[in-house]
Amino acid sequence: MRLHRNAVFALLLLWGAALAAGKPVNLCLQPGVKLTADCHHQSFTPAKAADGNQKLMASRWLSRDETGDHWLEAAFPNPQEVNSVTLSFWKATHLSVDFDIQIRRDGKWKTVREIRGNTQQISSHAFPTEKCSAVRVLFHRQIPDGMVRLYEFGVFRQPHPLEATLCDALRNGLLTEQPAPQLQLRNGEPGSIARIPLKVELTDKRGKLLRTLEQTISFTDSATVNLPLPESYGSYEYRFNVLDAPVPAVYFPAAPGKYRTASPFGVHYHDSIDAIVHHAGIYWWRNHDIYGRWNDNYDADGKEDWTDYEKRLEFVRRNQIRECSVFLGAPPAYSTILPGEPVKNRNHWTYSSYHSFYPPSNLEKWVSDYLIPVAERTKKVSPFRAYEVWNEAWSYYRLRGPRGTVGEAVEMFHVSYDALKRIDPESLVFATDVKPEAEDNPYGYKSFGRDMFELGFLRYTDLLCCHSYGTTTYPRLEKMRRNMWNFGRDFELWSTETAVPGEPAWQLMESLAAHRAAGTGKTFLYTGNRWAPLMLDGEPTLYLVAQAALCRTLGDALPLGFYEKNGVRLFLFANGGTSVAVLFTSSRQPMKVELPLDTTTKLEDMFGRPLHRSEAVLSQESPVFAIDLPDRLVRQAIAERIRFHATEPGGKGLEKLADRLEKTSDTEFADVLDHEITALQKERRTAEDERLYSTGKVLDFLLNAKILLARREGKAAKTAMTPAAMREAVAGEWKRIYHRTGNNGVLLNTERLTSRAQRQMQQAAMYGSDGDAIARDLLLDAAEEDLANARRRTMQERMVQLYRPKSYFRSNKRLIRSELYCFPAGRAQEAVITLANPFGRTLSGTLEITPPAGWKVNAATLNYKVPAQSRSLLSIEVTAPKEFRKGEVVRLRVRDRNGNFPPLEATCEVLKTIPAFPVLDGRISTGKFTGN
């Protein structure tokens, strides 16, 4: 028998006499043992790798982040017999991949084990018994950088050198029925016979013993032992007499995996594990914070190096991931980073971080050397792609320097959108979160969201993106949609980062359900650090269980309504041809599910365990899934939403539709849906503004219900349209619109209808990717109707002037989150004026610059010529007086003689010494350096 290649949890075997004597002794913890290393980072000294603490982050040895080998050595005061080594790395994403274990005897080092391709967070290795004066680990290669991060270094003398490994069925604590869980044993001294008294206990999380396995195993090379499975789903622990720690596991059903592209739930690459994809059913992944930044793909000499990126894409190819790639950063040659910014070698995290916060200096290279190579590689391996340009561009922290303005962001979005749609026209390309709430906050540029809308950035995106941390509510999402609607778009809304930091899994689950119930297309759980990790300290979390439950039980989760009644919040969805509700309550006391359910309706908890409807099973900490609800509840939920929308502007009279729907019988349901959809579509052909908005929301619910019933009956729509043909038709309509407006204004209702057709076309393409022809064709039918409605209006609708040119001033600052600019006493310093032109025509003119009293500028006037739908950067030199009053703030003014751009008033101060770079300020920062 062979040891499984992909084993993920290996710890050294304890058996025979050691079982009676207790756990083996880590020789590194004995008095007189000296720990040394080639180097260490800050206060993370070698001795901390042998202090017995595997939890405290301060108790680790960290090497410096440098290229080349690192080593860690344990020297004994007297020679010792050894035959096994255990390395406990910080986390599975930050470990050593290639390393050698060596022993020193007679002053010479001997390699006793070579490890290549390690994937273990706790990595243990046995070898024939040797007597030596020291043991050393020689580290050759680490991920994700050059630093070794080690909690604990263990050296042992076992009665017999053996390794025990848990197979893939327990990969990272995910327990599956097929393949069954197994314990695999390897003899560290092949040829000799190992006889092992094995005891395995299965307990629940409270420690209650559920099952026991006892047997003696004899083998010479390796052996495999099948482990007992729990009788029901839940959280468990396996305890082995041959492992030095219990093994936690979560057990839940595998997701069907039918809806992969159409699934609304995604995560980040902090725990890229095959089993999380297939067993939990999570197929949308976003690469921000993990890989893919432009500066990551250059070697130390400034040459392109795509090796690591292509290795990352192997996970995408192998698991058919729906990739959400984030484009961010720039290598030193094309970065606008300030000259004094402290950047270390390319393998250090500060390299990736700091360069990634400054816009690129050369957008042509941004496209040719970065966007195109990434898109070409990604479209070969991912069946459906989404490309997000930048990350949180609204943030002072993430769009810094003299070019860190809304004008530069819009230019980058425009250039990127055009380039990516050329290279991968079937993909979705969108601008990152720009604060579409259009509200100011202390961590973002003033008026960033409003300026983005007024500069017309919606022309360069396929959807509206937000980052929705905290518990999500309908009013919060509605504000973003309203702002988008007011500028002529009815796109899908995606949240590419969300979490409810520090809150329990059930609260996060409700937030994710609320996102989808309110119509959010995709929601990506931010799984980094302690926000909402799927794995924490090597163990699966309840966040993973919650996310898996949503993917498994809700599928594509077409929204069918939500409401609150008798203290229960109900979110109703279609999963294929089955209606599914998720129920939440604030009651700490369990309560019964008081719904008029059919006998076929099943109740489950988030582990997939069946619940009895006669029992009190719903509580704050225990949400309930109700599967296969009666259609009368579907009609009731939709009617509740329609009545709500009837109270909004443009909703007058819709309550009558709700009444008709709720009174409909099951046998009439499909026909009534057809009738109401047709009637609303006819009304919308002459409707405008608010009426279009409210009826569009109602149509979404009615169409989702129609898709539910059609799937159930296997009833395909009759359409000659395909996603490709609709994509071409939508693109043609946008050309007609821009030809009419010259990109100088907006045909509000025409563009709303066209973007709605585009949204439905994009959704249809997702269902086509998943093989759901019924949903695909019904969505294409709806898109065709909206597009025809738009075409009838294109040449008649009055153009509205919504776009506004913008002007910005940037120079050196002391604080990142500030618009107070600092200048050196008596010396010239550069400042940059950005003029952003949203129109389809060139803007030309002259700026007048008026410095404060006693200040000088190198040019009192500046001529400008800003191309259509672009920006220009104008550089000036500003000299502050030698004598100044500390703390005095003055204003430099800029006026456009031609009135094309709004006036500027920059607040300035004088300092004796200008800092090389600004530092963070505010309540979430130390204010000492540029890291968060």
Side-chain angles (χ1 to χ4, degrees):
M1 302 181 188
R2 294 183 178 179
L3 188 65
H4 201 294
R5 288 185 178 180
N6 295 322
V8 298
F9 192 100
L11 289 171
L12 283 172
L13 185 63
L14 316 177
W15 67 282
L19 297 178
K23 294 185 182 297
V25 174
N26 181 358
L27 299 177
C28 292
L29 301 179
Q30 299 300 295
V33 177
K34 184 177 181 181
L35 274 290
T36 57
D38 67 305
C39 63
H40 67 271
H41 174 68
Q42 296 181 358
S43 61
F44 298 93
T45 57
K48 292 184 176 181
D51 59 4
N53 191 324
Q54 297 192 42
K55 294 292 184 183
L56 189 64
M57 288 181 63
S59 179
R60 296 176 296 163
W61 168 61
L62 305 183
S63 73
R64 286 196 289 268
D65 182 5
E66 297 174 347
T67 55
D69 290 346
H70 296 294
W71 55 264
L72 177 66
E73 175 186 328
F76 309 122
N78 299 300
Q80 300 284 335
E81 286 189 344
V82 300
N83 56 21
S84 58
V85 164
T86 298
L87 301 171
S88 299
F89 295 104
W90 178 38
K91 57 171 63 174
T93 54
H94 294 69
L95 47 76
S96 295
V97 177
D98 299 334
F99 52 90
D100 297 338
I101 299 171
Q102 301 178 323
I103 58 105
R104 186 176 64 200
R105 187 170 57 204
D106 300 329
K108 295 181 180 179
W109 288 105
K110 173 185 175 183
T111 299
V112 292
R113 192 76 188 272
E114 294 182 353
I115 310 301
R116 299 295 180 265
N118 173 54
T119 60
Q120 321 293 327
Q121 182 178 345
I122 301 177
S123 178
S124 296
H125 307 280
F127 45 87
T129 304
E130 297 271 5
K131 194 168 187 177
C132 62
S133 61
V135 175
R136 180 172 74 175
V137 181
L138 189 61
F139 299 97
H140 302 305
R141 185 166 69 92
Q142 284 64 245
I143 59 170
D145 48 35
M147 178 181 284
V148 182
R149 299 168 173 87
L150 195 68
Y151 268 124
E152 204 70 8
F153 177 28
V155 177
F156 302 91
R157 167 59 165 99
Q158 305 286 356
H160 192 108
L162 293 130
E163 294 172 3
T165 306
L166 295 173
C167 71
D168 280 350
L170 275 173
R171 183 175 173 86
N172 292 282
L174 285 177
L175 188 58
T176 62
E177 296 178 32
Q178 294 296 329
Q182 293 178 329
L183 178 71
Q184 296 169 328
L185 306 175
R186 175 187 173 275
N187 190 346
E189 290 183 346
S192 64
I193 298 176
R195 293 183 178 86
I196 307 168
L198 178 66
K199 183 176 182 179
V200 182
E201 295 179 336
L202 177 65
T203 72
D204 63 19
K205 291 298 286 186
R206 292 170 292 185
K208 180 181 178 182
L209 181 62
L210 303 176
R211 301 187 70 178
T212 302
L213 170 68
E214 292 188 81
Q215 64 185 89
T216 298
I217 313 252
S218 297
F219 61 97
T220 56
D221 184 17
S222 63
T224 299
V225 180
N226 290 325
L227 301 178
L229 275 170
E231 293 182 355
S232 63
Y233 300 120
S235 293
Y236 299 96
E237 276 190 355
Y238 284 97
R239 297 175 181 176
F240 302 86
N241 66 333
V242 296
L243 297 179
D244 65 2
V247 179
V250 291
Y251 187 32
F252 52 78
K258 174 176 174 55
Y259 293 110
R260 300 181 178 188
T261 309
S263 170
F265 305 113
V267 294
H268 285 67
Y269 274 96
H270 298 98
D271 297 292
S272 49
I273 299 167
D274 290 0
I276 289 180
V277 181
H278 301 293
H279 190 69
I282 304 172
Y283 284 88
W284 274 101
W285 293 66
R286 181 175 183 256
N287 68 357
H288 172 60
D289 276 351
I290 304 300
Y291 72 94
R293 297 175 182 182
W294 188 10
N295 36 290
D296 289 339
N297 302 317
Y298 278 74
D299 64 19
D301 298 322
K303 297 178 181 178
E304 286 187 55
D305 182 0
W306 292 92
T307 305
D308 181 66
Y309 189 82
E310 288 173 344
K311 287 180 180 177
R312 294 283 190 172
L313 287 185
E314 174 55 26
F315 177 80
V316 178
R317 183 203 61 76
R318 185 172 66 248
N319 294 293
Q320 291 295 280
I321 295 298
R322 279 61 175 165
E323 179 83 345
C324 181
S325 291
V326 180
F327 292 100
L328 183 67
Y334 303 115
S335 175
T336 55
I337 191 169
L338 297 173
E341 194 83 22
V343 178
K344 301 182 181 179
N345 67 71
R346 76 170 299 274
N347 287 321
H348 196 274
W349 69 271
T350 54
Y351 182 97
S352 294
S353 297
Y354 292 175
H355 282 290
S356 298
F357 301 144
Y358 291 84
S361 62
N362 188 324
L363 290 179
E364 289 184 1
K365 285 291 186 179
W366 162 266
V367 170
S368 65
D369 293 9
Y370 181 35
L371 269 62
I372 291 176
V374 167
E376 286 178 335
R377 286 169 168 81
T378 305
K379 72 178 184 178
K380 291 178 181 177
V381 297
S382 176
F384 205 98
R385 287 84 52 207
Y387 300 119
E388 181 177 351
V389 182
W390 214 254
N391 180 65
E392 295 183 354
W394 54 268
S395 170
Y396 281 119
Y397 184 79
R398 290 176 176 21
L399 194 74
R400 340 178 165 175
R403 295 197 185 192
T405 69
V406 183
E408 190 67 18
V410 173
E411 178 78 359
M412 186 164 53
F413 296 156
H414 186 181
V415 169
S416 301
Y417 183 83
D418 289 349
L420 289 167
K421 295 303 276 191
R422 282 195 302 270
I423 194 69
D424 192 358
E426 295 181 358
S427 67
L428 300 180
V429 181
F430 60 97
T432 187
D433 175 29
V434 297
K435 283 296 177 201
E437 304 95 319
E439 296 174 344
D440 291 339
N441 73 84
Y443 310 122
Y445 288 109
K446 186 178 180 181
S447 302
F448 196 96
R450 286 188 289 274
D451 283 7
M452 290 296 301
F453 284 116
E454 292 181 351
L455 285 173
F457 92 104
L458 289 171
R459 294 171 289 182
Y460 322 125
T461 187
D462 287 330
L463 53 93
L464 183 65
C465 173
C466 70
H467 288 176
S468 51
Y469 286 98
T471 302
T472 296
T473 62
Y474 173 80
R476 182 181 179 189
L477 297 174
E478 178 67 3
K479 186 173 184 61
M480 302 180 205
R481 286 201 185 87
R482 268 286 176 186
N483 290 336
M484 174 172 57
W485 178 265
N486 290 339
F487 280 84
R489 291 297 183 274
D490 191 9
F491 280 147
E492 193 166 60
L493 177 66
W494 283 22
S495 173
T496 55
E497 286 187 25
T498 192
V500 185
E503 301 299 334
W506 54 262
Q507 190 166 334
L508 172 67
M509 194 160 75
E510 181 169 4
S511 184
L512 293 172
H515 272 95
R516 185 56 174 168
T520 304
K522 307 286 181 201
T523 307
F524 289 80
L525 187 61
Y526 187 76
T527 52
N529 300 321
R530 305 273 166 163
W531 293 90
L534 304 182
M535 307 290 295
L536 186 61
D537 297 328
E539 298 181 12
T541 67
L542 286 180
Y543 297 122
L544 171 59
V545 176
Q547 184 86 339
L550 293 172
C551 291
R552 176 182 70 249
T553 313
L554 301 187
D556 60 326
L558 279 176
L560 295 173
F562 58 98
Y563 61 87
E564 183 171 358
K565 188 174 183 180
N566 299 327
V568 176
R569 298 179 294 279
L570 180 148
F571 300 89
L572 185 62
F573 305 94
N575 176 5
T578 303
S579 56
V580 183
V582 198
L583 310 179
F584 300 90
T585 181
S586 298
S587 172
R588 294 175 182 263
Q589 295 299 319
M591 54 196 298
K592 291 182 179 180
V593 175
E594 302 289 355
L595 290 173
L597 305 177
D598 283 346
T599 56
T600 57
T601 303
K602 297 185 298 181
L603 301 182
E604 290 182 358
D605 68 4
M606 67 179 182
F607 279 97
R609 293 177 291 215
L611 304 172
H612 298 287
R613 66 182 67 187
S614 61
E615 299 176 359
V617 293
L618 174 63
S619 68
Q620 185 182 57
E621 297 183 2
S622 300
V624 170
F625 290 93
I627 303 167
D628 195 10
L629 295 165
D631 283 349
R632 63 183 178 278
L633 281 181
V634 174
R635 294 191 293 274
Q636 178 186 340
I638 296 175
E640 289 283 351
R641 291 315 297 168
I642 294 175
R643 290 192 184 98
F644 173 81
H645 294 314
T647 66
E648 295 180 315
K652 184 178 179 180
L654 290 175
E655 68 279 358
K656 296 178 182 178
L657 191 162
D659 293 340
R660 292 193 298 271
L661 189 64
E662 200 162 20
K663 293 176 182 176
T664 300
S665 68
D666 287 358
T667 56
E668 299 170 323
F669 192 12
D671 290 338
V672 170
L673 281 174
D674 286 342
H675 173 78
E676 298 294 353
I677 290 172
T678 301
L680 275 182
Q681 288 176 335
K682 183 176 180 180
E683 179 190 346
R684 285 167 56 82
R685 291 168 190 168
T686 56
E688 296 184 347
D689 303 325
E690 296 295 349
R691 190 61 176 178
L692 273 180
Y693 190 62
S694 61
T695 55
K697 291 180 181 180
V698 172
L699 266 179
D700 287 341
F701 284 115
L702 298 181
L703 178 60
N704 291 345
K706 182 174 181 176
I707 291 172
L708 168 73
L709 298 185
R711 286 166 168 169
R712 192 182 297 167
E713 299 298 325
K715 185 179 178 181
K718 296 179 181 179
T719 179
M721 186 62 70
T722 64
M726 180 55 71
R727 186 180 299 111
E728 185 176 343
V730 168
E733 178 58 17
W734 283 122
K735 288 180 181 178
R736 291 181 70 225
I737 290 169
Y738 295 145
H739 183 266
R740 164 84 198 285
T741 64
N743 270 301
N744 295 310
V746 181
L747 304 178
L748 272 173
N749 294 317
T750 303
E751 297 188 28
R752 290 161 175 165
L753 287 163
T754 304
S755 59
R756 180 181 174 85
Q758 180 176 332
R759 162 163 63 96
Q760 292 163 335
M761 174 269 293
Q762 291 165 178
Q763 293 166 340
M766 293 182 195
Y767 281 110
S769 170
D770 287 336
D772 186 341
I774 291 174
R776 178 199 66 199
D777 292 347
L778 286 173
L779 282 161
L780 288 174
D781 272 353
E784 202 166 9
E785 167 64 27
D786 283 318
L787 191 60
N789 194 349
R791 284 170 172 162
R792 286 189 288 268
R793 302 168 187 252
T794 311
M795 303 313 295
Q796 286 78 37
E797 186 172 5
R798 181 178 62 87
M799 184 175 74
V800 182
Q801 299 284 354
L802 294 178
Y803 300 145
R804 301 285 184 271
K806 303 292 177 180
S807 46
Y808 305 94
F809 180 94
R810 294 288 184 267
S811 191
N812 287 42
K813 298 190 295 184
R814 287 186 294 113
L815 304 176
I816 288 177
R817 296 190 180 108
S818 168
E819 293 186 17
L820 173 63
Y821 302 96
C822 57
F823 293 84
R827 290 187 291 111
Q829 177 177 286
E830 183 189 31
V832 176
I833 297 170
T834 299
L835 301 179
N837 174 16
F839 300 130
R841 62 182 186 276
T842 298
L843 295 180
S844 302
T846 302
L847 300 181
E848 290 181 356
I849 303 168
T850 305
W855 291 54
K856 297 178 181 179
V857 292
N858 66 330
T861 61
L862 285 175
N863 294 326
Y864 67 80
K865 187 175 182 180
V866 187
Q869 295 175 258
S870 187
R871 55 86 180 100
S872 289
L873 305 171
L874 306 177
S875 177
I876 60 173
E877 287 189 351
V878 179
T879 305
K882 291 183 179 180
E883 304 298 326
F884 64 95
R885 286 185 295 178
K886 185 178 180 180
E888 181 181 20
V889 174
V890 295
R891 287 170 173 77
L892 181 149
R893 293 178 172 83
V894 180
R895 185 181 74 88
D896 183 359
R897 287 179 180 174
N898 303 83
N900 290 321
F901 294 92
L904 280 172
E905 191 173 88
T907 55
C908 308
E909 63 176 347
V910 185
L911 300 177
K912 286 184 178 180
T913 303
I914 301 299
F917 53 90
V919 298
L920 273 170
D921 63 308
R923 63 183 177 85
I924 65 169
S925 165
T926 62
K928 293 181 179 179
F929 76 116
T930 51
N932 259 336

